Amino acid sequence: MTQNNLGRAYFDRDVAKSWDNFAQSGTNFQWFEPPIYSAFIQRSNRILGESANNIENAIAAYSAALQVLTDSAFPQLWASVQMNLGNASSYRILGERAKNIESAIAVYRATLEVYTRNAFPQNHAETLFNLGILYQDEKQLDLAYNTFTQAIETVEALRGEIASGEEAKRKQAEE
């Protein structure tokens, strides 16, 4: 868990820096809901230097955590660390871009073996969304479409389980 938290700290350091840069640009971002600015941060361009080192340190920390957290012994924690590793790998600056994306795709696919639609539907949808974004960025549009379709189906299944009214269902669908 310490290695995972360390990796998250390195990765979040870059996320915070990206958000600060955006906020300082003079853009009015007061109306942004967390999913919107989170999407912005995920799409923000990273600069070489400290950012590259932070991402490399995050990847190293996640990889160290996965030496202890196996999918058979700690499936939920393993999947959480895998998700973090996939996120960091997808933003990796150093190395060959195609290999970094290929690595992130493999990690997300492995994560889906634990984050199944039945066991962890919200995590399942989030993982599918991240995977779909990678496919989309790589112009693998058929795979992106199919992956996003699966994510939407999972969200709709979750939405159908909400018994507290249309407003709660609308909010869940937005998330």
Side-chain angles (χ1 to χ4, degrees), residues 135-148:
Y135 286 142
Q136 182 180 324
D137 289 349
E138 293 302 303
K139 308 293 187 245
Q140 297 179 30
L141 300 182
D142 287 342
L143 288 171
Y145 178 85
N146 292 335
T147 303
F148 287 136

Side-chain angles (χ1 to χ4, degrees), residues 25-143:
S25 71
T27 305
N28 182 355
F29 60 93
Q30 298 298 323
W31 56 273
F32 283 3
E33 292 293 325
I36 296 170
Y37 68 73
S38 177
F40 164 77
I41 290 168
Q42 290 180 7
R43 294 297 199 161
S44 65
N45 293 326
R46 304 215 182 269
I47 57 173
L48 290 172
E50 188 178 321
S51 293
N53 290 335
N54 288 341
I55 292 170
E56 292 304 309
N57 288 335
I59 289 170
Y62 296 141
S63 297
L66 289 170
Q67 296 299 311
V68 176
L69 299 172
T70 63
D71 59 339
S72 58
F74 305 98
Q76 191 171 2
L77 290 174
W78 175 87
S80 176
V81 175
Q82 283 282 105
M83 181 71 115
N84 289 336
L85 178 60
N87 292 340
S89 296
S90 69
Y91 301 118
R92 193 173 192 187
I93 297 168
L94 301 179
E96 189 179 320
R97 173 87 177 135
K99 287 185 179 182
N100 294 341
I101 296 301
E102 185 179 308
S103 175
I105 288 171
V107 168
Y108 287 141
R109 284 185 177 164
T111 304
L112 288 169
E113 293 179 24
V114 171
Y115 282 165
T116 64
R117 183 175 174 177
N118 291 332
F120 302 100
Q122 190 163 347
N123 299 112
H124 181 75
E126 181 182 353
T127 305
L128 287 171
F129 175 76
N130 290 342
L131 185 56
I133 292 292
L134 287 179
Y135 286 142
Q136 182 180 324
D137 289 349
E138 293 302 303
K139 308 293 187 245
Q140 297 179 30
L141 300 182
D142 287 342
L143 288 171

